[in-house]
Amino acid sequence: MKKEFRDMLKERGRSEMPAVLLVAAECAPLAKTGGLADVVGTLPKDLKKLGIDARVIVPYHRVIKEKYGNNVEHMFHFFAKLGWRCEYAGIEKLELDGVIIYLVDNERYFGDRIYLGEQAEGEQYAFFQRAVLDAIPNLDFTPDVVHCNDWHTAMIPMLGKTQYAGGIQERLRYLLTIHNIAYQGKFGFDYVQDLLEVEDKYNTPEFMELNGCADFLKAGCVFADRINTVSPSYANEIKMPYYAEGLEGILNARSAQLTGIINGIDKKVYNPHTDPVLPARYDRGHLKGKAQCKRALQEQMGLELREDVPLVAMVTRMTEQKGFDLVMHVLDDLMAGEEVQFVLLGTGDARFENFMREAENRWKGRLCAYIGYNEAVSHLVYAGSDFFLMPSRFEPCGLSQMIAMRYGSLPIVRETGGLRDTVQPYNRFNGEGNGFSFANFDAWEMRATIHNALQCYRNPEIMQGLIGRAMQADFGFENSAMEYARTYIWML
Ligand code: ADP
Ligand code: GLC
């Protein structure tokens, strides 16, 4: 054990590291729609290296059942009370890469869709949270800290502290990590009361009420022992109304318990030197393989096979958060005004998907919109592109820009949240930097920044320096795991 931790623990009269149960809606590689899954999948592995018994509990989504059904062990089952209903809750156990993952089984709630959407999602995750809390005393380990992630798990601290008098749940410590404040889980109070038996007195702005709704994430911000978000910049931003979506009051009030811990990426999964899905492998000193990946990407996407034309890519959920309005505004100008190719891999809002499909027709051979979710293709896009565009309106952390950098694709980002904390813009006076960035959420500012990046592409010396520094940046999870470890100990 590290001396720092030993000393911290000694002050608290303990000798062992805390045991932690991470609770989330998704966990890679079992079930994933975005970066949350990556974090929940990777963090426990690095916590274990620090001597923390970190385990995970997630819903037993059908995708998990189909892929891992033969490897799980049934532990126990019970009936969770959801208002007047009693719902089956099976607890299954799976070990993956040395990490124990508990799965909450219920075929009604956890079928084809990880998120049911709208009101149904409230019931889906009310059930999950109730089942997790009821299961805790019967698991084959006793956590000290329950680490909740986003609104789908944010009622747990409140329910644990107010509805389990005398139980272990009442004494546990709760950490809430906010991965995205734009999703809060807002429902009518009656609906939530019906599902989770929340007392009337909590339907006030002091507790979980926000703009006339019962707000799951707000309840978490009020009741969690500590709160963190996934980058230092975003931790500051969410104290301001522009970013906080109504939660600035509670977050300012609790700013002493609010920190920012930057995410990392799984350096084993995202490694151009060993990545098995790439047609050729490469590293910082030997970039020949990257050129082959670019060619393979152009082939697969139906683009002209031209090594000399810079290729700009996006891999993303297609939502407003990711800055698609900006892309829509200047894409045609970009394609008309520059010698450039453009690849998008993404899925999301219909209006963005349709725009990109139409753009592909207009710019056949130079632009490809791959609408869908595909892990293997994403690796090829990161490896085969020269630039990676991420003009987010807000970005709590962002993993894609870190993955892109690891694959030598230079990020072009807006300076917000984790993008600001991970990308150092190219400075043509001293030659420093590992990407490109712009400050304002403005389409023409983005367009000008892309132009600057494409100018640099013409200068091999500048590019080599930038690519080298991007690939060298250390985005491993070790540092984040250390920060989480400190946070857990502070909470004891
Ligand atoms: P967010 O969690 O907000 O979507 P992040 O940058 O933190 O953004 O994480 C996104 C993760 O999801 C990355 O691992 C990225 O490669 C992956 N991803 C996003 N869209 C797709 C897609 N269409 N196909 C494959 N992977 C995707
Ligand atoms: C959210 C955020 C993203 C972050 C991810 C993991 O999905 O949008 O910025 O990287 O969570 O924390």
Side-chain angles (χ1 to χ4, degrees):
M1 187 191 302
K2 290 192 187 298
K3 181 170 179 311
E4 175 192 347
F5 294 146
R6 212 174 20 237
D7 294 345
M8 285 176 78
L9 287 165
K10 209 161 142 201
E11 276 174 32
R12 285 158 183 80
R14 267 182 75 121
S15 53
E16 310 114 54
M17 290 295 263
V20 179
L21 181 64
L22 284 114
V23 194
E26 47 182 284
C27 171
L30 306 180
K32 165 171 164 182
T33 68
L36 167 65
D38 286 318
V39 174
V40 177
T42 315
L43 177 61
K45 290 192 253 177
D46 284 285
L47 290 172
K48 291 205 87 151
K49 290 184 202 149
L50 300 176
I52 292 182
D53 186 356
R55 305 187 184 193
V56 179
I57 187 162
V58 287
Y60 197 10
H61 299 293
R62 187 165 303 150
V63 278
I64 307 180
K65 209 168 270 186
E66 280 165 5
K67 251 173 81 195
Y68 298 89
N70 292 334
N71 307 333
V72 306
E73 171 200 334
H74 179 76
M75 290 184 66
F76 58 91
H77 62 268
F78 56 95
F79 288 85
K81 211 163 155 284
L82 211 57
W84 53 268
R85 283 143 294 184
C86 279
E87 283 288 344
Y88 173 85
I91 303 295
E92 317 289 313
K93 186 174 166 185
L94 172 70
E95 193 173 332
L96 206 66
D97 273 347
V99 176
I100 291 174
I101 301 172
Y102 302 105
L103 300 156
V104 177
D105 188 21
N106 176 299
E107 299 231 325
R108 182 135 81 104
Y109 291 121
F110 306 126
D112 285 340
R113 284 155 63 199
I114 297 178
Y115 302 109
L116 290 176
E118 312 277 324
Q119 182 120 322
E121 198 168 309
E123 181 174 332
Q124 184 187 21
Y125 281 94
F127 164 74
F128 176 60
Q129 298 181 87
R130 175 63 75 206
V132 168
L133 277 162
D134 287 352
I136 284 175
N138 300 315
L139 294 178
D140 52 355
F141 102 128
T142 310
D144 298 289
V145 175
V146 175
H147 181 164
C148 305
N149 294 276
D150 276 352
W151 78 262
H152 300 97
T153 60
M155 284 290 283
I156 289 179
M158 171 171 162
L159 298 174
K161 287 180 180 184
T162 62
Q163 296 187 350
Y164 290 83
I168 167 181
Q169 298 90 333
E170 196 190 16
R171 300 189 304 273
L172 289 172
R173 299 275 147 190
Y174 295 94
L175 171 68
L176 172 66
T177 300
I178 301 175
H179 296 263
N180 196 333
I181 211 164
Y183 304 99
Q184 297 183 1
K186 287 187 157 95
F187 306 96
F189 183 76
D190 292 349
Y191 179 67
V192 175
Q193 188 167 46
D194 173 52
L195 292 166
L196 293 170
E197 292 167 46
V198 178
E199 285 177 68
D200 283 332
K201 68 175 180 196
Y202 296 119
N203 187 20
T204 64
E206 219 188 321
F207 293 108
M208 68 179 308
E209 192 261 342
L210 184 66
N211 301 329
C213 293
D215 187 309
F216 279 30
L217 193 63
K218 181 166 180 185
C221 292
V222 172
F223 282 91
D225 296 287
R226 283 188 90 93
I227 308 161
N228 83 293
T229 182
V230 285
S231 68
S233 285
Y234 195 60
N236 282 329
E237 287 170 352
I238 57 174
K239 286 183 230 156
M240 302 176 214
Y242 178 82
Y243 290 100
E245 306 277 344
L247 293 182
E248 62 276 11
I250 178 67
L251 291 172
N252 277 296
R254 300 215 57 201
S255 62
Q257 289 93 32
L258 169 66
T259 52
I261 304 178
I262 194 95
N263 291 328
I265 54 173
D266 190 327
K267 287 200 278 193
K268 277 200 195 131
V269 174
Y270 299 110
N271 184 352
H273 189 51
T274 55
D275 196 328
V277 308
L278 297 183
R281 281 164 271 288
Y282 59 94
D283 57 36
R284 204 157 49 93
H286 312 86
L287 288 170
K288 238 176 92 197
K290 186 164 171 68
Q292 283 170 264
C293 292
K294 180 168 175 179
R295 195 183 164 83
L297 178 64
Q298 288 171 326
E299 244 163 15
Q300 189 166 339
M301 299 289 162
L303 302 177
E304 292 160 14
L305 302 181
R306 291 189 54 185
E307 200 179 327
D308 58 319
V309 176
L311 195 157
V312 178
M314 294 179 81
V315 176
T316 185
R317 288 185 294 118
M318 298 172 82
T319 62
E320 267 186 26
Q321 171 189 348
K322 302 295 177 179
F324 260 91
D325 305 283
L326 303 191
V327 176
M328 276 169 77
H329 210 74
V330 296
L331 188 62
D332 285 313
D333 183 83
L334 174 73
M335 297 308 294
E338 310 271 0
E339 203 176 17
V340 65
Q341 294 186 341
F342 195 100
V343 169
L344 164 108
L345 166 64
T347 171
D349 296 358
R351 68 185 176 114
F352 298 135
E353 290 187 352
N354 291 338
F355 174 86
M356 289 308 298
R357 284 195 187 98
E358 286 164 18
E360 177 176 295
N361 284 334
R362 283 197 296 281
W363 302 103
K364 266 256 161 327
R366 292 180 56 209
L367 185 150
C368 175
Y370 184 124
I371 305 295
Y373 186 96
N374 190 316
E375 200 75 35
V377 174
S378 79
H379 286 230
L380 185 61
V381 177
Y382 289 119
S385 55
D386 300 299
F387 298 99
F388 190 83
L389 180 62
M390 205 163 164
S392 304
R393 183 184 289 271
F394 67 93
E395 197 59 72
C397 177
L399 303 178
S400 298
Q401 83 282 11
M402 296 195 237
I403 303 171
M405 286 160 89
R406 188 143 166 84
Y407 283 82
S409 181
L410 299 175
I412 303 174
V413 304
R414 184 168 100 79
E415 290 155 20
T416 184
L419 297 175
R420 182 209 299 270
D421 296 342
T422 53
V423 176
Q424 193 194 352
Y426 172 59
N427 179 331
R428 67 193 163 99
F429 299 107
N430 63 15
E432 285 175 6
N434 53 22
F436 302 86
S437 67
F438 58 99
N440 296 298
F441 192 71
D442 179 291
W444 291 101
E445 219 176 293
M446 176 185 84
R447 172 74 180 85
T449 309
I450 299 175
H451 177 75
N452 288 343
L454 298 178
Q455 291 294 103
C456 288
Y457 186 79
R458 303 281 155 228
N459 186 327
E461 209 179 302
I462 295 179
M463 282 300 278
Q464 249 172 27
L466 278 162
I467 294 174
R469 285 189 295 278
M471 292 185 76
Q472 209 176 5
D474 179 13
F475 293 128
F477 233 111
E478 296 84 0
N479 295 336
S480 331
M482 286 286 288
E483 278 296 313
Y484 279 105
R486 288 184 193 110
T487 307
Y488 300 142
I489 299 175
W490 280 325
M491 291 169 66
L492 292 176

